[in-house]
Amino acid sequence: MKTWRRLTVLCVLAAMLIGTGVAAAQQDEFVFGLVLVGPKDDHGWSEAHYAAGEYVMENIPGTRMVVFESLNPADAPETTLEQVVDSMVAEGAKLIFTTSDAFELDTPPVAEKYPDVVFINISGSNVLEGEAPDNLGNIMGEMEWGKEIAGCAAALATQTGKIGYLGPLINFETRRLAASAYLGAKYCYETYAGKDPAELEFTVTWIGFWFNIPGVTLNPTDEVNRFFDAGVDVVISGIDTTEAIVEAGRRAEEGEVVWAIPYDYVGSCAEAPEICLGVPFFNWGPAYIQTVQAVMDGTWEQSWDWNPPDWEDLNNPDTTAAGYVYGDGLTDEQMATLDEFIAMLAEVAAEGNFALWQGPLALQDGTIIAEEGEWVDPIGTKEGDPVGIWYLPQLLEGMQGASTSE
Amino acid sequence: MLDEILTVTFLTGFLAATLRIMTPILIAALGEMFAERAGVLNLGIEGIMIIGSFAGFAGAYFTGSLLLGFVTGALAGALLGLAMGVLSIRLKANQIVAGLGIWILCQGLASFLNRGIFGVVSVRPSVSILPAISLPLLNQVPLLGETLFNQNIVVYLTLLAVPVFTFIFRRTSWGLSIDAVGEEPHAADAAGISVSRVRYIAVTFGGLMAGLGGAYLSLALFGLYTDDLSTGLGWMAIVVVVFGKWRPWWIVGGALIFGAANALQYRLQALDFPLPYQFLLMIPFIVTLVIVVIFGRGQKGPSALAAPYERSEL
């Protein structure tokens, strides 16, 4: 053996190829995918998720996000979730968030196709219902509180006693959120405004999807204007986009006294700050961080998470799952009242109950779901036995609007 | 940045990382030294380390005992060392080709077994890693004590093995026999030493050590197994043996340089060194390459290395 030098040089090169190659591909990068139902800058639902993805990249070095925007029948009619996931897995994604209930049915099959990738379907119930493959989890924030605060703010502001709720499509989630807003409005209308809650008109209009799809859904801009034309002076948005606040802002500029409460994204008051009564927002960052870290560490386990707000600090971006930021449309007095209201919510939450979901409460068809003093079951069952908040089968008695899409 | 580097925490962290990274290479290199001094060049070390890390992990996972894990890893390594022996001693195959064959075989085999046994899972099975043992009194030494004397048992045993191996080669007939069959197999044969037997033992022991080095990766460093745990460490072990002139203490030096370069590289990454991390990753290899090119000149290995022994017919 006289060629030691040559042999060793070759060995070093082999080691370097393996060492740097593997490391470059794996060690330094954790790829996670984000499938959005709308555009990443919708100032609503999808942007809140996109912001959480950026929050992960800022806080966990070596993570990289791959995003697919606007996966919905209008913008990408030919694209399936499976195709999107195929390409994300090919890019090295080890964790994929499918961030809409629109993906709830399609996520379990793709999760079965890629058993070594973790999937999180946001807002879904697959895990709760025991039908999910082991690598699929669900995460949702307790937005019910935020909606109650929104309802309260609307009740404090309204002068006509008419509140409009701009709903997306009708399902368990959207019903319970609209109902939460109603409960907050009813409570504050009576308790703080000192008026008769029976006189409060709370109307829900469902447009048919999470955002405007021309020719498929009702046009949210038209619906907001229809509300205002009918004497509503506060519109609470339940859809992913910002039509409610945009239209309210436009009409306020023309001298009308109206307000709006947008939804989902912490920054959405910016569209028309002066008539914004605040925004209940999702803060997905902490849940995302926790999930990414757990998958990276190999400690992730399937779970169904319905994450509460941080009552110590409702809007803390590092801890809360859902919060409420006040808008410039609120007077100082209203803010003080809301502070009081939120303190009350926090107390009830500390006792382990969903505030305001206490009897006497009945569904729209008159079915009693909680007797005087009794708390509604937080979850319930899909079949309505018992009726729960998560699986709310109808709107509540006192609300106007459809409970089902038939 | 310089003042970040010149801090006590940086230095102690750096030293601890150096020891951690050099240990698996050192273990494998010391074993390879035995094989090569007996005349068998085993290029399959990388593969044997991969199998060792898998077998070690599986052993520990299913028995719940890290010790049994190391035993499993070592046995698997020994078996592959023996296989290399059969190829090179009995079948007199070209050792370079045989070694590469072992490497490729092991790589595929480990991946196959991993999927077969653990399946494709989202949550990787893991074991808790070998705990560090703080040596009393010595750990009080300022600056160095906390890192040098707060390591796991395998690190201590490996460092202890170095003088033992030196002693074996210098002072025992065992060591003499190994050198004899590696340098002058005909003379050894004439002196009544069984060339095949000594070579078998040496190459099997080399495999055993590589298996241990691999098991160290999964059981002492990571606590889990993935297909790319070894990342070229086996190849570096071979380099370190040549750089170390086939002598234990020199081999420690080689492993130390590579370990230090690697530890430095990781730390530079953490400090946001203004260079793409791909380049930082290359640093240890480039350092080694330069050293090999400069100092590798005129290295003289065992004369009969890589040459199958044919008893000459008289």
Side-chain angles (χ1 to χ4, degrees):
Chain A
M1 242 3 234
K2 296 202 173 85
T3 51
W4 284 116
R5 209 145 59 128
R6 215 175 296 164
L7 177 78
T8 47
V9 166
L10 282 176
C11 285
V12 177
L13 289 178
M16 178 156 76
L17 271 178
I18 301 168
T20 57
V22 168
Q26 304 218 318
Q27 169 222 322
D28 237 35
E29 196 171 73
F30 178 87
V31 182
F32 64 98
L34 204 59
V35 187
L36 302 176
V37 68
K40 66 173 187 246
D41 52 358
D42 63 358
H43 295 339
W45 173 266
S46 291
E47 185 159 349
H49 283 285
Y50 186 75
E54 293 194 310
Y55 179 78
V56 169
M57 288 198 288
E58 279 163 24
N59 285 283
I60 307 182
T63 52
R64 181 165 68 89
M65 165 168 66
V66 288
V67 182
F68 190 95
E69 293 177 73
S70 297
L71 181 61
N72 63 68
D75 292 308
E78 303 296 320
T79 313
T80 64
L81 179 66
E82 183 175 357
Q83 292 164 347
V84 172
V85 166
D86 282 345
S87 77
M88 286 182 169
V89 171
E91 276 198 67
K94 295 276 180 287
L95 164 66
I96 294 174
F97 295 92
T98 61
T99 65
S100 173
D101 87 306
F103 310 136
E104 185 174 4
L105 288 178
D106 292 340
T107 304
V110 292
E112 275 165 19
K113 181 176 177 184
Y114 293 107
D116 50 353
V117 174
V118 175
F119 289 83
I120 301 291
N121 177 242
I122 299 294
S123 81
S125 328
N126 322 73
V127 177
L128 188 62
E129 284 150 21
E131 291 162 3
D134 291 345
N135 57 326
L136 169 59
N138 291 130
I139 296 178
M140 187 57 178
E142 287 181 1
M143 176 48 70
E144 291 67 23
W145 304 100
K147 288 292 189 184
E148 288 177 350
I149 302 168
C152 181
L156 297 178
T158 182
Q159 294 169 1
T160 61
K162 293 179 181 172
I163 298 172
Y165 189 94
L166 188 66
L169 43 80
I170 307 179
N171 64 18
F172 291 117
E173 172 192 338
T174 60
R175 277 192 293 258
R176 70 172 183 265
L177 292 180
S180 297
Y182 169 68
L183 289 176
K186 194 175 84 165
Y187 179 88
C188 293
Y189 201 65
E190 183 175 16
T191 311
Y192 301 119
K195 299 179 197 163
D196 178 3
E199 283 170 15
L200 178 72
E201 273 185 44
F202 191 99
T203 311
V204 181
T205 298
W206 307 103
I207 65 162
F209 196 64
W210 296 101
F211 44 80
N212 184 30
I213 303 179
V216 177
T217 62
L218 298 180
N219 183 334
T221 304
D222 293 347
E223 295 310 313
V224 173
N225 283 304
R226 211 186 300 270
F227 272 137
F228 289 138
D229 292 344
V232 164
D233 58 354
V234 184
V235 174
I236 302 174
S237 174
I239 67 174
D240 286 1
T241 46
T242 55
E243 283 85 353
I245 188 163
V246 170
E247 284 309 300
R250 191 181 59 74
R251 291 181 75 130
E253 261 177 37
E254 289 167 5
E256 290 185 45
V257 184
V258 292
W259 294 275
I261 300 177
Y263 178 38
D264 289 324
Y265 175 62
V266 65
S268 46
C269 270
E271 301 275 337
E274 64 288 349
I275 53 90
C276 183
L277 297 179
V279 55
F281 65 95
F282 283 105
N283 184 46
W284 301 103
Y288 270 41
I289 288 251
Q290 213 182 8
T291 309
V292 169
Q293 197 65 58
V295 174
M296 288 175 84
D297 295 346
T299 58
W300 182 85
E301 276 180 36
Q302 179 176 62
S303 61
W304 178 81
D305 297 338
W306 195 12
N307 298 320
D310 175 6
W311 291 108
E312 300 283 313
D313 185 359
L314 196 60
N315 298 335
N316 186 327
D318 299 319
T319 55
T320 201
Y324 190 97
V325 284
Y326 292 164
D328 295 348
L330 290 170
T331 63
D332 291 346
E333 194 187 342
Q334 286 165 346
M335 283 191 202
T337 308
L338 281 179
D339 285 344
E340 201 179 312
F341 178 66
I342 291 170
M344 185 278 289
L345 297 183
E347 266 176 46
V348 180
E351 292 161 9
N353 290 310
F354 258 109
L356 309 186
W357 286 88
Q358 191 179 26
L361 277 181
L363 298 178
Q364 216 174 23
D365 68 0
T367 313
I368 308 282
I369 55 171
E371 301 288 352
E372 176 80 44
E374 197 185 342
W375 292 99
V376 181
D377 190 278
I379 296 174
T381 70
K382 209 171 186 172
E383 294 71 33
D385 177 30
V387 167
I389 301 174
W390 179 270
Y391 286 119
L392 191 68
Q394 297 173 27
L395 296 180
L396 298 177
E397 195 173 58
M399 299 172 75
Q400 293 166 25
S403 271
T404 58
S405 36
E406 278 85 50
Chain B
M1 174 166 295
L2 199 61
D3 31 295
E4 272 181 279
I5 293 176
L6 296 174
T7 57
V8 173
T9 24
F10 183 90
L11 283 175
T12 51
F14 168 72
L15 282 173
T18 303
L19 262 178
R20 269 202 306 277
I21 297 163
M22 73 175 272
T23 300
I25 301 175
L26 182 56
I27 298 173
L30 287 172
E32 176 72 3
M33 174 190 76
F34 273 81
E36 289 189 16
R37 279 175 83 150
V40 182
L41 175 67
N42 185 358
L43 290 187
I45 293 296
E46 171 83 2
I48 300 179
M49 284 183 81
I50 294 172
I51 286 286
S53 61
F54 174 74
F57 176 77
Y61 183 79
F62 289 114
T63 64
S65 153
L66 286 178
L67 178 64
L68 287 179
F70 276 103
V71 171
T72 325
L75 284 180
L79 210 63
L80 286 159
L82 189 64
M84 179 66 196
V86 172
L87 288 173
S88 58
I89 301 163
R90 186 182 180 84
L91 303 177
K92 301 185 175 25
N94 179 315
Q95 291 183 7
I96 293 183
V97 176
L100 290 175
I102 296 249
W103 170 41
I104 293 164
L105 171 79
C106 290
Q107 190 125 33
L109 190 65
S111 186
F112 172 75
L113 289 176
N114 183 35
R115 286 185 176 225
I117 293 176
F118 293 106
V120 180
V121 289
S122 53
V123 181
R124 265 194 201 122
S126 59
V127 298
S128 50
I129 59 168
L130 208 57
I133 300 170
S134 193
L135 293 186
L137 293 179
L138 286 174
N139 60 12
Q140 307 290 325
V141 177
L143 241 173
L144 299 178
E146 255 176 73
T147 55
L148 287 183
F149 304 110
N150 191 20
Q151 301 283 345
N152 64 59
I153 181 87
V154 178
V155 174
Y156 297 133
L157 289 181
T158 306
L159 293 176
L160 211 61
V162 177
V164 173
F165 289 174
T166 310
F167 178 80
I168 287 177
F169 279 103
R170 282 210 186 140
R171 297 287 154 105
T172 69
S173 59
W174 266 98
L176 208 59
S177 311
I178 292 174
D179 279 339
V181 302
E183 295 287 351
E184 292 290 348
H186 288 96
D189 197 4
I193 298 170
S194 166
V195 175
S196 300
R197 196 169 136 250
V198 171
R199 285 188 173 178
Y200 266 121
I201 292 173
V203 73
T204 304
F205 181 72
L208 181 145
M209 292 289 277
L212 265 184
Y216 178 90
L217 295 173
S218 57
L219 300 181
L221 281 190
F222 297 103
L224 48 79
Y225 173 80
T226 68
D227 284 343
D228 37 43
L229 224 47
S230 175
T231 61
L233 295 183
W235 292 108
M236 293 313 298
I238 295 168
V239 174
V240 162
V241 173
V242 177
F243 170 80
K245 303 175 198 285
W246 295 268
R247 286 183 241 161
W249 285 112
W250 278 81
I251 288 174
V252 174
L256 193 64
I257 291 173
F258 182 74
N262 239 315
L264 181 69
Q265 173 267 120
Y266 281 122
R267 268 154 186 75
L268 289 182
Q269 274 191 48
L271 288 181
D272 270 331
F273 195 77
L275 205 64
Y277 71 93
Q278 287 92 340
F279 287 102
L280 294 176
L281 283 170
M282 291 166 76
I283 288 179
F285 301 102
I286 290 171
V287 168
T288 312
L289 205 58
V290 168
I291 291 178
V292 163
V293 170
I294 295 175
F295 295 99
R297 201 183 296 266
Q299 254 346 22
K300 196 187 158 302
S303 320
L305 186 51
Y309 175 62
E310 304 266 6
R311 196 175 257 191
S312 44
E313 300 294 328
L314 292 172

